[in-house]
Amino acid sequence: MKAIAISTPTVAILTIVVRLTGLLQLLEWASFDLFFRIRPREARDERIAIVTIDESDLTEIGKWPMSDGLLAQAIDKIKAQNPRAIGLGLYRDLPVEPGHQQLLATFKSTPNLIGIEKVSEESVAPPPLLASEDRVSFVDLILDADGKVRRALVSLEPEPNRIVLSLGTRLALTYLKAEGIEIEAIAEHPDRIRLGKGIFHPFEKNDGGYVNANDRGYQMLLNFRGPGPSFRTISIGDVLDGRIPDGLMGDRVVFVGVTAQSLNDFFYTPLSSNDRSTLSGVEIHAHVASHILAKALDGRSGIETWDDAIEGLWIVWWAGWGALVGSMGLYHRRIVAATVLLAIVLVAIAYGLFLQGWWIPVVPGAIAIAAAAVLANSYLLWEKLNFSHQQLEEYARTLELKVKQRTQILERRSLELEQKKNQLEWQTLELKQAKEAAEAANRAKSVFLANMSHELRSPLNAILGFSQLIGHRSDLKAEDRKHLTIIHRSGEHLLRSIDNILDFSKIEAGHSHLHLQVFDLYRELDDLIDLFELPSAEKGIALELERSPDLPRWIRADAVKLRQIVLNLLGNALKFTEKGRIILRAKVLALESSAANPGGEGSKGDGDAPAQILGEPPGTGRPCRLHFEVEDSGVGIAPEELEQLFQPFVQTESGRAIGRGTGLGLAICRQFVEFMGGRMGVRSQVGRGSCFEFDLDGSWVECEPPEAKASPRWPVALAAQVPPYRILVADDRPSNRQLLVELLQPLGFQLAEARDGWEAIAIAEQWQPDLILMDLRMPKLNGYEASQQIKAKMGEKKTAIVALSAIGGSEERTARAAGCDDFLCKPFRESDIFETIEKHLQVRYVYEEASKPELEDPSRESRFWEERDGRLPSEAIERLKTATIRCDLELLDEAIASSRQYNVPLAEQLTQLAGEFEYDRILELLAKHERT
């Protein structure tokens, strides 16, 4: 009994104190919500109907907010059903044409229509006409600290002497007035009112599980009807089409409101167990009206609470039972079982009272039971310890026994340590095996990618090669040339997709390398803007370049990777932007220099601080940190999609809607940026656009622009003095052999074909070729072993072997180690084959058109600026036509670069069309230029 007498008041007082601090508030709310969700389903309230505006209605309407004309039509059709009251749960503080005058006429002719306003911090004005006739209610809701709606605002006094009713309350009172029921004051309880069969009292700040809650206005705990559908609903589309069931709205309260997920007018309630079980605002106001109507007409209970004193006695009662259980003895299992049973009884009683409309403390009672049981049992243990203390002297005389016990403990711990050691060794072995398995999987992936690259690039070699070869024919019809261009462009696109996958794999495997070179950053950015200028202009999008004045012009970095990153970001921006603008920004974050910035002394970026000076001595390779941004006004990216945005093969919802891309572009961009020592991020807002930004390391270099390379020429035959060289083509694919034969035979070379390594060795021994084009992957005997044997058997014969493979990198190194003199990666261009043969056989070609070197002219620069918008010479036009007809990208790039000195705008258009493989449009543009 002593344990009970001590434990009961101690635990009860501590529990009450803890409860008053608010620490148990969330737990009590959770138990309250659970009772709502497991409560038996109630019948639907037939006195209320809801006209919903869902996603299908938004699609049918075509815009939001809906026009005043459509809204007026819907209200007129609802009014025709003779409801008792209509609650318009849509803000109409501003007109939405067309049909505003029609809506005003509907407002005047519908006296039982109630509009809405918002009176909280972000207030929204009511419809002026309804406000002037005092037909306005507020729709503000009270959210608890966990974001749920458990209380209903009945009325507020937003301004002195102005009391406004909530929408649900106003409509419920209108309905009851038609029943002859109005508010009655109760003399003995001034704060309570009688309404039909129900008595209502205002919520107080410590009611139920609340502690110091905000009790402004007249509030009440809301008794939701759920779970399950609680009211009849009909979509506004059905209302506008006249598909209203008989008797749906007659003599009822009708709410009109939005239930579309995209409009984000949803709230958590005690009925919510996940995001899908939230209620829209209009449904919550319908629950408020149903609460009042059911209590006034049916005598349905609300949510009642006890006084603080009764709640305190309730906690003391359960603390006493817990102490009684804890004092049952030292059998912990029995105590735990009895404590759990008491808690179950407590919850059952609380749930039974909840079904009658009472909210009583569950969590404080359960805590009191457990704490009292623990404290009472601890008191018994303490008494037991006191008794044990009296026996310590006797135990002190048994030292030998204690030493023996200690030894046993040490032996047991030693055994445990040995077991842990064995466990660690086993885990180490498992980790080693897992590492070996991962390395084997990585090797398997590398082999798979190598095989896939070979299997895809080999047919692509034939597709691109024959499309280029056929493109040189002058007898092609325009339609056939167009189809050929489509084939070549599709092959190039597939090749780029394969390269993207291989680049990503190389970065993951750590096999990618930086190719540092000095390049003109200003020109690179200008070229990128020029590349996208035409497609952006066609879409009506402004394309801008913002370059800070202190940005270095000549830098040393990986230009190819930088260009690929910006190309991908600009391409994505253009793809997902329909109007507005796209901005490419470039600036320097940190520049290692003791002199002035390269952009000029004291220069600053557009609103940005100047580059940070690191204070090192000046040099020709000063490190700098470059920052780039690509900002657009497109569709934007949802926050939940940002985390996976840079994952490979993952596309956003907007990307999947467009249906283009592999989902690798951004993943490769981020890998490239990190590989170049930088970082990449994104800021985005749905409907307003996105901004991708990244920075990377580079070096500011003082140098002059590199000289332009000589224009490539197309060979049509061997020079007269050149002997008929023999070339052996070894490839297991007939299409690849046929491509090389048709490419080289017209020039005068003698060619032979081999289908595998053994056949190549036999022909080489008998025919003695001057050069062998050797495919590395062939059946029976591969190209590596065939090359080794040929080199060993040819003796003094200097036969050059050029390895051909769809896989670069490691295969190139292996091929050269096997004796190959050169290496070409499939698919290759025709010019690559010609240059390689010229390099190893020292042949001379007869060219279809020879380019003459330009003479240095001191006045060339002045003529350049004078004639930059002038007419192209006839030989320049012919050179452009020849390159376009042949689909020779390098020759076309050089021809366009040469034409820039005569007409810069035309050259920029040609660059854009060439980048998109629009060869037909290039020929049309050149023909138009000739006519003007």
Side-chain angles (χ1 to χ4, degrees), residues 585-662:
R585 299 187 182 94
K587 63 181 179 180
V588 61
L589 297 180
L591 180 65
E592 181 181 318
S593 175
S594 60
N597 293 335
E601 183 176 353
S603 62
K604 294 185 180 181
D606 299 345
D608 298 316
Q612 177 187 356
I613 305 302
L614 301 182
E616 292 294 329
T620 58
R622 284 170 279 181
C624 58
R625 189 77 166 177
L626 303 172
H627 182 80
F628 300 89
E629 294 181 3
V630 176
E631 181 179 350
D632 63 67
S633 57
V635 297
I637 305 168
E640 61 271 14
E641 294 182 312
L642 290 177
E643 294 183 0
Q644 299 181 340
L645 185 62
F646 295 100
Q647 297 297 321
F649 304 106
V650 173
Q651 291 181 296
T652 62
E653 186 65 31
S654 54
R656 290 190 292 271
I658 291 177
R660 291 184 295 179
T662 61

Side-chain angles (χ1 to χ4, degrees), residues 552-593:
R553 183 183 186 104
W554 298 97
I555 66 169
R556 183 173 183 267
D558 193 325
V560 175
K561 288 185 174 59
L562 174 60
R563 182 180 181 87
Q564 186 171 349
I565 294 168
V566 180
L567 271 174
N568 191 291
L569 295 181
L570 286 175
N572 284 349
L574 185 62
K575 184 192 307 181
F576 297 110
T577 302
E578 295 300 329
K579 61 180 180 179
R581 63 176 185 170
I582 299 173
I583 305 174
L584 170 60
R585 299 187 182 94
K587 63 181 179 180
V588 61
L589 297 180
L591 180 65
E592 181 181 318
S593 175

Side-chain angles (χ1 to χ4, degrees), residues 143-165:
L143 300 181
D144 290 332
D146 61 350
K148 289 188 177 181
V149 177
R150 297 182 179 88
R151 297 171 282 161
L153 267 173
V154 177
S155 64
L156 278 175
E157 188 175 1
E159 301 172 1
N161 301 322
R162 177 174 175 250
I163 297 177
V164 185
L165 297 178

Side-chain angles (χ1 to χ4, degrees), residues 527 530-531 896 900 906-916:
D527 288 346
D530 292 343
L531 186 62
I896 293 174
R900 186 177 291 272
L906 178 61
E908 291 176 350
Q909 285 184 284
L910 292 173
T911 300
Q912 176 67 33
L913 294 174
E916 298 177 354

Side-chain angles (χ1 to χ4, degrees), residues 198-218:
I199 296 177
F200 297 79
H201 61 85
F203 169 83
E204 296 181 1
K205 62 182 180 180
N206 290 324
D207 280 355
Y210 287 91
V211 177
N212 292 323
N214 181 2
D215 59 351
R216 66 183 181 125
Y218 194 106

Side-chain angles (χ1 to χ4, degrees), residues 300-571:
R300 178 175 179 259
S301 62
I303 301 296
E304 306 294 335
T305 59
W306 285 344
D307 292 334
D308 293 343
I310 297 177
E311 290 181 348
L313 291 176
W314 171 263
I315 295 173
V316 173
W317 168 264
W318 290 108
W321 277 104
L324 178 62
V325 168
S327 62
M328 291 170 57
L330 300 178
Y331 299 95
H332 297 294
R333 291 184 179 179
R334 294 181 182 178
I335 294 175
V336 171
T339 302
V340 171
L341 180 60
L342 271 179
I344 293 174
V345 172
L346 165 64
V347 173
I349 294 173
Y351 180 66
L353 291 174
F354 174 81
L355 295 179
Q356 304 302 317
W358 290 93
W359 181 12
I360 63 174
V362 176
V363 176
I367 292 176
I369 291 173
V374 171
L375 184 59
N377 190 256
S378 299
Y379 182 82
L380 293 180
L381 288 176
W382 180 73
E383 287 185 336
K384 182 68 175 179
L385 288 174
N386 281 338
F387 175 76
S388 299
H389 182 71
Q390 297 173 1
Q391 297 179 341
L392 286 178
E393 293 180 0
E394 183 179 351
Y395 293 151
R397 294 192 296 268
T398 59
L399 180 59
E400 183 179 354
L401 179 61
K402 291 183 178 181
V403 171
K404 183 178 180 180
Q405 292 175 347
R406 178 68 64 181
T407 303
Q408 291 175 348
I409 293 174
L410 291 176
E411 289 176 352
R412 185 170 64 253
R413 290 182 178 178
S414 177
L415 179 61
E416 291 175 354
L417 289 175
E418 185 67 24
Q419 291 175 348
K420 289 183 178 180
K421 177 184 175 183
N422 294 335
Q423 183 180 2
L424 288 174
E425 290 176 351
W426 176 252
Q427 291 177 349
T428 302
L429 179 60
E430 289 181 338
L431 288 174
K432 182 179 179 181
Q433 293 174 347
K435 179 183 177 183
E436 292 174 353
E439 291 175 349
N442 192 40
R443 289 193 296 270
K445 183 182 76 171
S446 300
V447 172
F448 170 78
L449 288 174
N451 291 333
M452 287 301 297
S453 174
H454 179 267
E455 293 301 321
L456 292 173
R457 285 176 177 268
S458 293
L460 270 179
N461 181 57
I463 293 171
L464 296 177
F466 277 112
S467 63
Q468 293 179 71
L469 191 62
I470 298 173
H472 297 311
R473 294 174 54 180
S474 58
D475 57 345
L476 279 179
K477 296 180 180 180
E479 184 178 0
D480 293 338
R481 190 173 301 280
K482 180 179 180 181
H483 293 166
L484 189 63
T485 302
I486 293 174
I487 293 173
H488 187 81
R489 188 187 308 161
S490 301
E492 291 281 358
H493 176 74
L494 181 57
L495 179 60
R496 285 193 299 270
S497 299
I498 295 171
D499 289 338
N500 281 345
I501 296 174
L502 293 178
D503 285 344
F504 188 77
S505 177
K506 286 180 181 178
I507 294 173
E508 279 191 329
H511 296 159
S512 186
H513 302 282
L514 285 178
H515 301 282
L516 301 179
Q517 58 179 324
V518 177
F519 62 95
D520 186 347
L521 180 58
Y522 284 23
R523 181 174 181 180
E524 190 72 27
L525 296 177
D526 291 338
D527 288 346
L528 289 168
I529 291 297
D530 292 343
L531 186 62
F532 287 90
E533 188 169 9
L534 184 59
S536 62
E538 290 178 351
K539 295 181 71 173
I541 300 172
L543 183 60
E544 303 174 10
L545 170 61
E546 295 182 3
R547 188 170 55 209
S548 64
D550 56 354
L551 182 70
R553 183 183 186 104
W554 298 97
I555 66 169
R556 183 173 183 267
D558 193 325
V560 175
K561 288 185 174 59
L562 174 60
R563 182 180 181 87
Q564 186 171 349
I565 294 168
V566 180
L567 271 174
N568 191 291
L569 295 181
L570 286 175

